[in-house]
Amino acid sequence: MTFSFTKFPIIETERLILRKATEQDSDYILKLYANENVVQHMPLDPFTSIEDAKGEISWYEKIFSEQTGLRWVIEEKVNKKVIGTCGYLNYEVEHNRIEIGYDLSPESWGKGIMTETLKAVIHFAFSELNVNKIEAQITSENDASLHLVSKLGFHRDGVLREHEFEKGRYIDLVIYSLLKSEYTK
């Protein structure tokens, strides 16, 4: 049976709880996306207001209700601090394909947090959403993310040259994917 998009899933890992964003998370979301290092490789400008954060949370609710995606906040179990987000968008049911996205507060970089997170959400996609393919579209300059998906078993499919116009320039997107047949826990 495939996930029904009626109740938002909570995923627990050794150090983290992945859960639905609420309005109470607005301050964390603002701090996260106000950081230029976090949004550097994303198609958005740094947030400047709590309204920006609330708008982001509304978008998470919208993609869930439309059944086109899921976005979790990443919360540390120990101190209940939200340190990032991750999830799926562009869910194409007819093709059993979905796109993964993620971000993390710089204070948490280099600690294996995103590896731990993505292992859990990849398992969710293959077991609960029953997708055949998870795709990642990563700017060619985002070396850390390119390394991360390679480490998790994603294969480089190619480059979409000057595919998007972001922050005043054209950027290349490197496409990686992981197929269900290639997935090992």
Side-chain angles (χ1 to χ4, degrees):
M1 187 167 143
T2 304
F3 179 70
S4 66
F5 283 91
T6 52
K7 183 178 179 206
F8 197 92
I10 296 172
I11 300 174
E12 210 169 311
T13 69
E14 183 182 335
R15 299 179 287 175
L16 310 165
I17 295 174
L18 311 179
R19 61 166 177 79
K20 180 180 181 177
T22 66
E23 194 168 321
Q24 288 75 32
D25 298 316
S26 296
D27 289 335
Y28 288 117
I29 298 296
L30 174 58
K31 183 180 179 206
L32 179 70
Y33 290 128
N35 189 313
E36 290 195 23
N37 291 318
V38 173
V39 299
Q40 176 183 3
H41 301 294
M42 297 170 70
L44 51 98
D45 293 320
F47 285 7
T48 58
S49 70
I50 202 74
E51 286 73 32
D52 291 340
K54 289 178 180 177
E56 183 74 7
I57 293 169
S58 291
W59 178 71
Y60 301 163
E61 292 170 359
K62 179 179 184 251
I63 63 173
F64 183 77
S65 68
E66 292 174 346
Q67 300 186 14
T68 59
L70 288 151
R71 193 76 175 196
W72 290 272
V73 293
I74 304 166
E75 180 182 273
E76 292 178 319
K77 281 184 182 179
V78 174
N79 60 16
K80 302 293 184 203
K81 182 180 174 189
V82 172
I83 57 172
T85 74
C86 69
Y88 294 108
L89 64 154
N90 299 326
Y91 182 28
E92 297 181 39
V93 178
E94 65 276 10
H95 301 296
N96 293 315
R97 179 174 59 221
I98 204 159
E99 183 183 335
I100 196 167
Y102 44 87
D103 47 70
L104 192 63
S105 175
E107 303 87 61
S108 299
W109 292 357
K111 299 177 181 176
I113 297 284
M114 198 49 73
T115 299
E116 183 177 331
T117 299
L118 292 188
K119 283 181 177 180
V121 298
I122 288 167
H123 178 74
F124 179 86
F126 287 133
S127 64
E128 301 296 322
L129 289 174
N130 201 27
V131 298
N132 181 60
K133 181 181 183 181
I134 301 171
E135 187 176 272
Q137 297 185 7
I138 303 166
T139 62
S140 60
E141 299 164 351
N142 191 344
D143 294 331
S145 194
L146 295 169
H147 175 73
L148 175 63
V149 294
S150 292
K151 182 172 81 170
L152 291 171
F154 282 67
H155 295 273
R156 183 180 165 131
D157 292 343
V159 177
L160 298 173
R161 298 178 313 132
E162 295 188 2
H163 191 67
E164 292 183 349
F165 189 78
E166 294 177 10
K167 300 176 183 171
R169 65 191 180 99
Y170 290 100
I171 60 157
D172 296 345
L173 290 179
V174 184
I175 307 302
Y176 276 79
S177 67
L178 181 63
L179 303 178
K180 190 172 190 174
S181 62
E182 300 164 336
Y183 172 65
T184 54
K185 293 180 191 175

